[in-house]
Amino acid sequence: MRVVSLVPSLTEAVAVSLPGVLVGATDWCARPAGLGVTRIGGTKNPAVDRIAALAPDLVIANEEENRGPDLAALRAAGLEVLVTEVRDVPQAFRELARVLAECGARSRPRWLDEAEEAWAAPDRFDARRTAVVPIWRRPWMVLGRDTFAGDVLARLGVDHLYTAHEERYPKVPLEELRAAAPDLVVLPDEPYRFTPDDGPEAFPGLPCALVSGRHLTWYGPSLAEAPRALGGALRAALR
Protein backbone atom coordinates (compact mmCIF):
# COMPACT_ATOMS: atom_id res chain seq x y z
CA MET A 1 0.00 0.00 0.00
CA ARG A 2 1.29 3.46 -0.97
CA VAL A 3 -0.35 6.49 0.64
CA VAL A 4 0.08 10.25 0.28
CA SER A 5 -1.30 12.43 3.08
CA LEU A 6 -2.41 16.04 2.66
CA VAL A 7 -3.29 16.47 6.35
CA PRO A 8 -0.73 16.77 9.18
CA SER A 9 -3.00 15.02 11.70
CA LEU A 10 -3.58 12.09 9.39
CA THR A 11 0.09 11.93 8.44
CA GLU A 12 1.01 11.36 12.05
CA ALA A 13 -1.79 8.83 12.57
CA VAL A 14 -0.82 6.73 9.56
CA ALA A 15 2.94 7.00 10.08
CA VAL A 16 2.88 5.74 13.67
CA SER A 17 0.27 3.06 12.98
CA LEU A 18 1.46 1.72 9.63
CA PRO A 19 5.21 2.30 9.23
CA GLY A 20 6.34 2.33 5.61
CA VAL A 21 2.92 2.96 4.10
CA LEU A 22 3.32 6.73 3.63
CA VAL A 23 5.29 7.76 0.56
CA GLY A 24 4.37 11.45 0.47
CA ALA A 25 3.20 14.22 2.80
CA THR A 26 2.89 18.00 2.84
CA ASP A 27 5.59 20.43 3.87
CA TRP A 28 3.53 21.11 7.02
CA CYS A 29 3.51 17.47 8.16
CA ALA A 30 6.02 17.82 11.01
CA ARG A 31 5.13 14.68 12.96
CA PRO A 32 6.40 12.16 13.60
CA ALA A 33 9.83 13.79 13.76
CA GLY A 34 12.22 12.64 11.07
CA LEU A 35 9.51 11.37 8.74
CA GLY A 36 11.36 10.37 5.59
CA VAL A 37 8.86 10.79 2.76
CA THR A 38 8.63 12.91 -0.38
CA ARG A 39 7.29 16.40 0.31
CA ILE A 40 4.57 17.44 -2.10
CA GLY A 41 3.90 21.09 -1.26
CA GLY A 42 1.42 22.68 1.13
CA THR A 43 -2.02 21.65 2.28
CA LYS A 44 -3.57 24.40 0.15
CA ASN A 45 -1.27 24.03 -2.88
CA PRO A 46 -0.14 20.42 -3.28
CA ALA A 47 1.87 19.58 -6.39
CA VAL A 48 -0.45 17.27 -8.30
CA ASP A 49 2.25 16.13 -10.72
CA ARG A 50 4.61 15.29 -7.86
CA ILE A 51 1.87 13.30 -6.10
CA ALA A 52 0.96 11.43 -9.30
CA ALA A 53 4.62 10.54 -9.86
CA LEU A 54 4.61 8.72 -6.51
CA ALA A 55 1.90 6.38 -7.88
CA PRO A 56 -0.04 6.22 -4.61
CA ASP A 57 -2.85 3.75 -4.07
CA LEU A 58 -4.63 6.37 -1.97
CA VAL A 59 -4.45 10.09 -1.19
CA ILE A 60 -5.97 11.09 2.16
CA ALA A 61 -7.39 14.57 2.61
CA ASN A 62 -9.81 16.65 4.67
CA GLU A 63 -12.73 18.78 3.53
CA GLU A 64 -11.59 21.76 5.59
CA GLU A 65 -7.82 21.43 5.35
CA ASN A 66 -7.65 20.94 1.58
CA ARG A 67 -9.21 22.78 -1.37
CA GLY A 68 -11.82 21.26 -3.63
CA PRO A 69 -10.06 22.18 -6.90
CA ASP A 70 -6.87 20.42 -5.77
CA LEU A 71 -8.79 17.27 -4.86
CA ALA A 72 -10.61 17.39 -8.19
CA ALA A 73 -7.27 17.69 -10.01
CA LEU A 74 -5.96 14.63 -8.17
CA ARG A 75 -9.01 12.62 -9.16
CA ALA A 76 -8.69 13.84 -12.75
CA ALA A 77 -5.14 12.46 -12.67
CA GLY A 78 -6.62 9.05 -11.93
CA LEU A 79 -5.87 8.98 -8.21
CA GLU A 80 -8.18 7.69 -5.49
CA VAL A 81 -8.84 10.38 -2.88
CA LEU A 82 -10.37 9.73 0.54
CA VAL A 83 -11.79 12.92 2.05
CA THR A 84 -12.45 13.09 5.77
CA GLU A 85 -14.79 15.38 7.70
CA VAL A 86 -14.04 16.08 11.36
CA ARG A 87 -16.28 18.49 13.27
CA ASP A 88 -16.28 16.89 16.73
CA VAL A 89 -14.38 14.37 18.84
CA PRO A 90 -16.59 11.30 18.17
CA GLN A 91 -16.42 11.98 14.43
CA ALA A 92 -12.62 12.20 14.72
CA PHE A 93 -12.50 8.67 16.14
CA ARG A 94 -14.76 7.32 13.40
CA GLU A 95 -12.79 8.99 10.63
CA LEU A 96 -9.45 7.89 12.04
CA ALA A 97 -10.62 4.28 12.14
CA ARG A 98 -11.88 4.61 8.55
CA VAL A 99 -8.63 6.12 7.29
CA LEU A 100 -6.45 3.50 8.95
CA ALA A 101 -8.61 0.68 7.62
CA GLU A 102 -8.43 2.12 4.09
CA CYS A 103 -4.65 2.36 4.48
CA GLY A 104 -4.44 -1.34 5.25
CA ALA A 105 -4.64 -1.60 9.04
CA ARG A 106 -5.90 -4.98 10.16
CA SER A 107 -6.55 -3.91 13.74
CA ARG A 108 -7.00 -0.74 15.76
CA PRO A 109 -3.79 0.83 17.05
CA ARG A 110 -3.42 1.06 20.79
CA TRP A 111 -3.18 4.85 20.72
CA LEU A 112 -6.67 5.09 19.25
CA ASP A 113 -8.15 3.04 22.10
CA GLU A 114 -6.21 5.15 24.60
CA ALA A 115 -7.53 8.33 23.00
CA GLU A 116 -11.13 7.16 23.21
CA GLU A 117 -10.61 6.25 26.85
CA ALA A 118 -9.10 9.66 27.58
CA TRP A 119 -12.14 11.42 26.09
CA ALA A 120 -14.76 9.10 27.61
CA ALA A 121 -14.77 11.10 30.86
CA PRO A 122 -12.28 13.98 30.66
CA ASP A 123 -11.59 16.15 33.69
CA ARG A 124 -13.63 19.30 33.17
CA PHE A 125 -14.40 22.50 35.02
CA ASP A 126 -17.11 22.11 37.66
CA ALA A 127 -18.68 25.37 36.52
CA ARG A 128 -18.60 26.05 32.81
CA ARG A 129 -16.34 28.86 31.63
CA THR A 130 -16.55 31.11 28.59
CA ALA A 131 -13.76 31.91 26.17
CA VAL A 132 -12.82 33.56 22.94
CA VAL A 133 -10.39 31.56 20.82
CA PRO A 134 -8.37 33.59 18.31
CA ILE A 135 -6.73 31.59 15.55
CA TRP A 136 -5.27 34.58 13.66
CA ARG A 137 -4.46 38.23 14.05
CA ARG A 138 -4.12 40.99 11.45
CA PRO A 139 -7.05 40.54 11.07
CA TRP A 140 -8.32 38.91 14.22
CA MET A 141 -10.17 35.66 13.53
CA VAL A 142 -11.74 33.33 16.08
CA LEU A 143 -13.41 29.96 16.33
CA GLY A 144 -17.03 30.16 15.20
CA ARG A 145 -19.69 27.52 14.65
CA ASP A 146 -19.27 23.81 14.10
CA THR A 147 -15.54 23.34 14.68
CA PHE A 148 -13.55 20.41 16.03
CA ALA A 149 -11.57 22.70 18.34
CA GLY A 150 -14.78 24.18 19.71
CA ASP A 151 -16.09 20.71 20.53
CA VAL A 152 -12.78 19.82 22.21
CA LEU A 153 -13.08 22.83 24.50
CA ALA A 154 -16.76 22.22 25.20
CA ARG A 155 -15.95 18.71 26.43
CA LEU A 156 -13.50 20.27 28.90
CA GLY A 157 -16.13 22.67 30.22
CA VAL A 158 -15.24 25.74 28.16
CA ASP A 159 -17.81 27.34 25.86
CA HIS A 160 -16.43 29.76 23.28
CA LEU A 161 -18.60 32.80 22.72
CA TYR A 162 -18.89 32.61 18.92
CA THR A 163 -20.19 29.06 18.69
CA ALA A 164 -23.49 30.31 17.22
CA HIS A 165 -21.86 32.63 14.65
CA GLU A 166 -22.93 32.02 11.04
CA GLU A 167 -19.30 31.62 9.99
CA ARG A 168 -16.93 28.90 11.14
CA TYR A 169 -13.95 31.25 11.48
CA PRO A 170 -15.31 34.79 11.64
CA LYS A 171 -13.26 37.96 11.57
CA VAL A 172 -14.06 39.91 14.72
CA PRO A 173 -12.65 43.33 15.68
CA LEU A 174 -10.37 43.23 18.70
CA GLU A 175 -12.55 45.75 20.52
CA GLU A 176 -15.51 43.38 20.23
CA LEU A 177 -13.49 40.44 21.52
CA ARG A 178 -12.45 42.45 24.57
CA ALA A 179 -15.99 43.72 25.16
CA ALA A 180 -17.34 40.15 25.12
CA ALA A 181 -15.64 39.77 28.55
CA PRO A 182 -14.93 36.04 28.42
CA ASP A 183 -13.61 34.16 31.45
CA LEU A 184 -10.44 33.53 29.48
CA VAL A 185 -8.78 33.90 26.08
CA VAL A 186 -7.43 30.70 24.53
CA LEU A 187 -4.39 31.31 22.31
CA PRO A 188 -3.09 28.30 20.34
CA ASP A 189 0.33 28.18 18.68
CA GLU A 190 -1.20 27.34 15.29
CA PRO A 191 -2.30 28.28 12.70
CA TYR A 192 -1.10 31.64 14.07
CA ARG A 193 1.78 31.15 16.47
CA PHE A 194 0.66 33.03 19.56
CA THR A 195 3.39 33.34 22.20
CA PRO A 196 3.74 34.97 25.63
CA ASP A 197 4.95 38.12 23.82
CA ASP A 198 2.52 38.00 20.90
CA GLY A 199 -1.16 37.77 21.80
CA PRO A 200 -1.78 38.22 25.54
CA GLU A 201 -0.88 41.91 25.41
CA ALA A 202 -3.97 42.48 23.24
CA PHE A 203 -6.26 41.38 26.09
CA PRO A 204 -5.25 43.39 29.18
CA GLY A 205 -7.01 42.23 32.32
CA LEU A 206 -8.19 38.93 30.81
CA PRO A 207 -6.63 35.56 31.69
CA CYS A 208 -4.90 34.09 28.64
CA ALA A 209 -4.19 30.38 28.15
CA LEU A 210 -1.39 29.61 25.70
CA VAL A 211 -2.14 26.12 24.40
CA SER A 212 -0.69 23.63 21.95
CA GLY A 213 -2.42 23.84 18.60
CA ARG A 214 -1.65 20.16 18.10
CA HIS A 215 -3.68 19.29 21.18
CA LEU A 216 -6.50 21.67 20.30
CA THR A 217 -6.91 21.10 16.57
CA TRP A 218 -5.19 17.84 15.57
CA TYR A 219 -7.04 14.53 15.42
CA GLY A 220 -4.52 11.71 15.73
CA PRO A 221 -2.25 10.25 18.42
CA SER A 222 -2.25 13.62 20.20
CA LEU A 223 -5.89 13.01 21.18
CA ALA A 224 -4.72 10.63 23.90
CA GLU A 225 -2.88 13.38 25.79
CA ALA A 226 -5.02 16.37 24.75
CA PRO A 227 -7.49 16.39 27.70
CA ARG A 228 -4.66 16.47 30.25
CA ALA A 229 -2.48 18.95 28.35
CA LEU A 230 -5.27 21.37 27.49
CA GLY A 231 -6.94 21.08 30.87
CA GLY A 232 -3.66 21.93 32.59
CA ALA A 233 -3.08 25.00 30.45
CA LEU A 234 -6.65 26.26 30.91
CA ARG A 235 -6.56 25.84 34.69
CA ALA A 236 -3.16 27.49 34.97
CA ALA A 237 -4.51 30.59 33.23
CA LEU A 238 -7.39 30.89 35.69
CA ARG A 239 -5.38 30.52 38.89
Side-chain angles (χ1 to χ4, degrees), residues 165-178:
H165 197 282
E166 62 181 8
E167 298 179 23
R168 297 187 67 209
Y169 301 102
K171 297 176 183 177
V172 182
L174 179 58
E175 295 74 16
E176 180 179 326
L177 297 180
R178 291 170 176 163

Side-chain angles (χ1 to χ4, degrees), residues 46-64:
V48 174
D49 56 347
R50 204 179 309 164
I51 295 172
L54 292 171
D57 300 297
L58 183 67
V59 178
I60 51 178
N62 176 262
E63 50 88 29
E64 178 177 55

